[in-house]
Amino acid sequence: MTASFPTAAQALLPNGLRDLLPPDAEQEAFVASRLVATFVANGYHRVKPPLIEFEESLLSGAGRTAAAQTFRVMDPITQRMMGLRSDMTTQVARIAASRLARAPRPLRLAYSGSVLRVRGSQLRPERQFTQAGLELIGAAGEDAVAEVLLLAVEALEQAGVERVCIDLTCPPLVPALCAALGLDEARAQAVRDVLEQKDLVAVGDLVGAEAAAVLRALLETVGPAERGVEALVALDLPEPAVAMRDSLVALARRVAGAVPHHDLTLDPLEHHGFEYHTGTAFCLFGRGARGELGRGGAYETGPDGAVEPSAGATLYLDAVLDVATCPPPRRLVLISPTLPAARRRALQAEGWATVPALGAAVDQAEALRLGCSHILDENGQPRALAPADQG
Amino acid sequence: MTASFPTAAQALLPNGLRDLLPPDAEQEAFVASRLVATFVANGYHRVKPPLIEFEESLLSGAGRTAAAQTFRVMDPITQRMMGLRSDMTTQVARIAASRLARAPRPLRLAYSGSVLRVRGSQLRPERQFTQAGLELIGAAGEDAVAEVLLLAVEALEQAGVERVCIDLTCPPLVPALCAALGLDEARAQAVRDVLEQKDLVAVGDLVGAEAAAVLRALLETVGPAERGVEALVALDLPEPAVAMRDSLVALARRVAGAVPHHDLTLDPLEHHGFEYHTGTAFCLFGRGARGELGRGGAYETGPDGAVEPSAGATLYLDAVLDVATCPPPRRLVLISPTLPAARRRALQAEGWATVPALGAAVDQAEALRLGCSHILDENGQPRALAPADQG
């Protein structure tokens, strides 16, 4: 009947998994709640998909790229394989395409939750992290991307992030250019690799002088949007890339006008981590955050061939917490366990956390020992511990 | 580059797993946040353990009984087995015993999160559900149990649950009685089984007339505490059971005095689902809830043999949501996407959810189509849709 406990060795956690302790756990909950509250106030409805589901649905469509990162478990009831979600966008798309297939479009959905990945990356060693996001399903073009981008930025502002760097990309642009240049798949892949390294000489070797000039000109638009947008507009691009460029330019102008107090950059060559994005996309960064704060963009989803243009954004709580401003923890005041409930609740309403002196005197020594900054005095008012007691 | 989507069949979820849709997902988030906020205002500190950890730590000590209910996955990095948590109390005990081993006692910790179980039960078919709980580590006796019990009830009140039925139990009482009656383990198990069925005749056959009289008297204390407490006090029990009885009586009187507006019952014979409880324990019920709202009690934990008396309570969000009172969802007002941000935020501060008319007119037809109840009129004020339009 007695319960025992882990030994010190058993208390170790696997790499990339951790306990959030006080005050971090409270801060994460506060920020996640604040982010989703911003989405909800702007017409998004919260959904909560399960942590595990059948792998066919979890890893279908946009989820295919997540297969290698997904823990799998057997369902003992159906004997079918289930996966632990490594991302929530696919799940929200599934909900939109099935249970909410008849809800009017555009459908605005928001979520927050934990995801698990089989391996961490060098940049992000965590294997569990919390996402908060929004999906705008059944809306196309820069209007849709601008809405989710600006709301993601507004949510960050509401969580106390003062300055965001918004990096705009267009993942399908380089593939479209390679196709227009008549490059086969192997050559196109080689072009993407050298562009990634911004290696202009190698690009020239691969595609010849004329095509290299286009790519070089594109490379020169990378950087602050103020300069890059003008350079992009001036570019002479083959046909299928023109619409993409125009869309990126329109988005950049829209965002620059809406949030001039944040930094805006362009990187039309970037495509890493945008595996399911079909149009303009973006990364959000913050000074002092370990990794990116979030990302998003245009994608397509829908049930059984009825493709719906959509846009979404996901914020990563671990990075957001590095730059968010959280309210300080409640100050602790030591009280008697017999303090009337009405007085205790009144103190809590004033912002105190009331700590009952359980089986101990309500005195300065006990307050100090329990980490309280205050003690309830004879008039029922919180009194700061005397300096001598705090030493 | 295009993303696809699940077919209708792929969109099915495994038994016992479900999507929370609007407005349920928002209500669950609201209630979970409200419950933990009550714990935090009373000096509890939020922690957040990971969803998976090594099975030795997850299934050690108090977690042993959860082994059959725990999904396991291989950690590809260490090649060791990990488990998906099926309960959070063991995890919080691990944190208290390891990373917070030096924090002053009593240590007050709170949490909220999802747990997964391999199989649902008849009463609770869900395989994933959300818990919110509190643990008071390093505190003994009815003071400790009363604190967590009354705080769990107060948290339910704060979430709008009007009437709670508190059922007090003492899981070690029957085993102690059986030991005092000199019954071997097989006989003791048989006694527990027939007591479970309240089968007085079978009890007499098992233990003889004198011992059966004690058990029968105990059985008669089951029910409303007002009557049961007096009957319990009058009982002539063998020695080791006396202290347990006294503790149960003290707790019952304490709780009856503190929350006379709730229902209080006794069931000193109940021990189901209290595998790690070592003293008085309790279940909380609510009229109209599918299952129990929560449970808790006294247990022991601690690192490497240094046993700490503790008490804790866990609330089950799915049941709590059946009886909680949630604020109504924000009313939706259709606005122009170009509405100045300051005006939009002012509307949100008044409780509106603002829905931008994306690529559509800001008119009654669009508002109706999107499920808005209001539209922003020419003076910038929300106006209810005209009756003709709502028909």
Side-chain angles (χ1 to χ4, degrees):
Chain A
M1 190 58 89
T2 58
S4 79
F5 28 74
T7 64
Q10 285 170 337
L12 284 174
L13 290 174
N15 270 336
L17 295 169
R18 64 194 174 117
D19 297 311
L20 284 187
L21 297 182
D24 298 346
E26 187 63 23
Q27 291 182 346
E28 189 196 86
F30 169 83
V31 171
S33 155
R34 180 61 68 95
L35 295 175
V36 178
T38 300
F39 305 150
V40 167
N42 284 280
Y44 285 73
H45 301 280
R46 193 196 288 259
V47 292
K48 186 186 178 196
L51 287 167
I52 54 178
E53 51 180 275
F54 289 130
E55 64 174 352
E56 303 97 278
S57 64
L58 201 59
L59 304 179
S60 71
R64 271 193 312 271
T65 56
Q69 277 292 31
T70 302
F71 282 112
R72 290 177 178 80
V73 291
M74 167 79 82
D75 179 8
I77 297 175
T78 57
Q79 308 290 322
R80 288 167 64 190
M81 291 307 289
M82 304 191 293
L84 263 147
R85 68 177 177 219
S86 64
D87 186 76
M88 294 180 73
T89 299
T90 317
Q91 292 191 300
V92 177
R94 173 184 57 71
I95 291 173
S98 56
R99 301 189 58 191
L100 298 180
R102 292 176 190 190
R105 267 46 178 174
L107 176 62
R108 293 178 166 93
L109 300 176
Y111 62 88
S112 162
S114 298
V115 302
L116 279 163
R117 297 190 178 171
V118 170
R119 292 174 193 279
S121 67
Q122 200 135 27
L123 194 64
R124 197 182 282 282
E126 289 80 17
R127 294 200 281 169
Q128 173 178 331
F129 46 93
T130 306
Q131 297 184 336
L134 72 169
E135 308 292 339
L136 175 62
I137 289 149
E142 59 265 18
D143 276 359
V145 178
E147 178 174 320
V148 298
L149 190 166
L150 292 173
L151 262 186
V153 170
E154 183 163 324
L156 290 170
E157 289 175 352
Q158 298 284 319
V161 181
E162 289 184 0
R163 192 142 182 188
V164 180
C165 176
I166 304 160
D167 191 41
L168 300 182
T169 73
C170 186
L173 181 60
V174 169
L177 272 179
C178 289
L181 294 170
L183 305 181
D184 61 24
E185 186 42 46
R187 192 75 72 89
Q189 183 58 53
V191 167
R192 288 197 291 270
D193 289 345
V194 297
L195 279 178
E196 189 112 345
Q197 297 150 30
K198 322 276 190 227
D199 183 346
L200 291 174
V201 177
V203 171
D205 292 348
L206 275 165
V207 298
E210 199 181 343
V214 172
L215 292 170
R216 191 176 303 125
L218 201 55
L219 196 54
E220 279 169 6
T221 69
V222 173
E226 209 172 336
R227 189 177 50 69
V229 164
E230 297 318 309
L232 256 186
V233 169
L235 274 188
D236 187 18
L237 294 172
E239 193 42 59
V242 169
M244 295 178 188
R245 183 266 313 270
D246 290 351
S247 180
L248 185 58
V249 165
L251 180 65
R253 287 178 170 156
R254 178 88 166 264
V255 172
V259 288
H261 49 296
H262 294 301
D263 299 318
L264 187 64
T265 57
L266 296 185
D267 191 349
L269 303 175
E270 178 64 44
H271 57 94
H272 255 306
F274 290 104
E275 286 77 8
Y276 51 73
H277 290 93
T278 54
T280 47
F282 55 88
C283 270
L284 305 175
F285 298 93
R287 206 159 294 168
R290 272 165 291 178
E292 62 190 28
L293 303 179
R295 57 169 56 206
Y299 63 95
E300 290 177 348
T301 186
D304 287 329
V307 168
E308 292 194 280
S310 301
T314 303
L315 299 172
Y316 306 114
L317 269 285
D318 53 348
V320 174
L321 277 167
D322 287 340
V323 287
T325 309
C326 296
R330 283 172 178 259
R331 286 180 303 171
L332 304 179
V333 57
L334 188 70
I335 63 166
S336 160
T338 61
L339 186 72
R343 178 68 194 129
R344 176 168 53 81
R345 286 192 203 124
L347 287 165
Q348 294 168 0
E350 290 166 17
W352 297 96
T354 56
V355 179
L358 204 62
V362 188
D363 62 15
Q364 300 233 5
E366 180 67 1
L368 189 62
R369 194 183 72 77
L370 287 176
C372 296
S373 63
H374 289 67
I375 189 168
L376 214 61
D377 71 12
E378 50 280 5
N379 302 316
Q381 294 302 322
R383 177 171 56 76
L385 297 192
D389 292 288
Q390 285 192 331
Chain B
M1 191 57 91
T2 58
S4 78
F5 30 72
T7 64
Q10 286 170 338
L12 284 175
L13 290 175
N15 270 336
L17 296 170
R18 63 193 176 119
D19 298 311
L20 284 187
L21 298 183
D24 299 346
E26 186 64 23
Q27 291 181 347
E28 189 196 86
F30 169 82
V31 171
S33 155
R34 180 60 68 94
L35 296 175
V36 178
T38 300
F39 305 150
V40 167
N42 284 280
Y44 286 73
H45 301 280
R46 192 196 289 259
V47 292
K48 186 187 178 195
L51 287 167
I52 54 177
E53 50 180 274
F54 289 129
E55 63 174 352
E56 302 98 277
S57 64
L58 201 58
L59 304 181
S60 71
R64 270 192 311 270
T65 55
Q69 276 292 30
T70 302
F71 282 113
R72 292 176 175 79
V73 290
M74 167 77 85
D75 179 8
I77 297 177
T78 58
Q79 308 289 321
R80 288 168 64 191
M81 290 308 287
M82 304 190 294
L84 263 146
R85 67 177 178 218
S86 64
D87 185 76
M88 293 178 75
T89 298
T90 318
Q91 293 192 301
V92 176
R94 174 183 57 70
I95 290 173
S98 56
R99 301 188 56 192
L100 297 179
R102 294 180 189 186
R105 264 48 176 176
L107 177 62
R108 291 178 167 92
L109 300 176
Y111 62 87
S112 162
S114 297
V115 302
L116 280 164
R117 296 189 180 171
V118 170
R119 293 176 194 277
S121 68
Q122 199 135 25
L123 194 65
R124 198 182 279 285
E126 289 79 18
R127 294 201 281 170
Q128 173 178 331
F129 47 91
T130 307
Q131 297 183 336
L134 72 169
E135 309 291 340
L136 174 62
I137 289 149
E142 60 265 17
D143 276 359
V145 178
E147 178 175 320
V148 299
L149 189 166
L150 293 172
L151 263 186
V153 170
E154 182 162 326
L156 290 171
E157 288 176 351
Q158 297 285 319
V161 181
E162 289 183 2
R163 191 140 182 190
V164 180
C165 176
I166 304 161
D167 191 40
L168 300 182
T169 74
C170 187
L173 180 60
V174 170
L177 273 178
C178 290
L181 295 171
L183 305 181
D184 60 24
E185 184 46 43
R187 192 76 71 89
Q189 182 59 51
V191 167
R192 287 197 291 270
D193 290 345
V194 295
L195 280 178
E196 189 110 347
Q197 297 150 30
K198 321 278 190 225
D199 184 345
L200 290 175
V201 177
V203 169
D205 293 348
L206 274 164
V207 297
E210 198 181 344
V214 173
L215 292 170
R216 192 175 303 126
L218 201 55
L219 196 53
E220 279 170 7
T221 68
V222 173
E226 210 172 334
R227 188 178 51 71
V229 164
E230 298 317 310
L232 256 185
V233 169
L235 274 188
D236 187 19
L237 294 172
E239 192 43 59
V242 170
M244 294 178 190
R245 184 265 313 271
D246 291 351
S247 180
L248 184 58
V249 165
L251 180 65
R253 288 178 170 157
R254 179 86 167 266
V255 172
V259 287
H261 49 296
H262 292 302
D263 299 317
L264 186 64
T265 57
L266 296 186
D267 191 350
L269 302 175
E270 177 65 44
H271 57 92
H272 255 307
F274 291 104
E275 285 77 9
Y276 52 74
H277 292 93
T278 54
T280 47
F282 54 88
C283 270
L284 305 174
F285 297 93
R287 206 160 294 169
R290 272 165 292 179
E292 61 191 29
L293 303 178
R295 58 169 56 206
Y299 63 95
E300 291 178 347
T301 185
D304 288 328
V307 168
E308 293 195 277
S310 303
T314 302
L315 299 171
Y316 305 114
L317 269 286
D318 52 348
V320 174
L321 277 168
D322 286 340
V323 286
T325 309
C326 296
R330 285 171 177 258
R331 286 180 303 170
L332 304 179
V333 57
L334 188 70
I335 63 166
S336 160
T338 60
L339 186 73
R343 179 68 194 127
R344 178 168 51 83
R345 285 191 203 125
L347 287 165
Q348 294 168 359
E350 290 166 17
W352 296 95
T354 56
V355 179
L358 203 63
V362 187
D363 62 17
Q364 300 232 6
E366 180 67 2
L368 189 62
R369 193 182 71 77
L370 288 176
C372 297
S373 63
H374 288 68
I375 189 168
L376 214 61
D377 71 12
E378 50 281 2
N379 302 316
Q381 295 301 322
R383 175 171 56 77
L385 297 192
D389 293 287
Q390 286 192 330

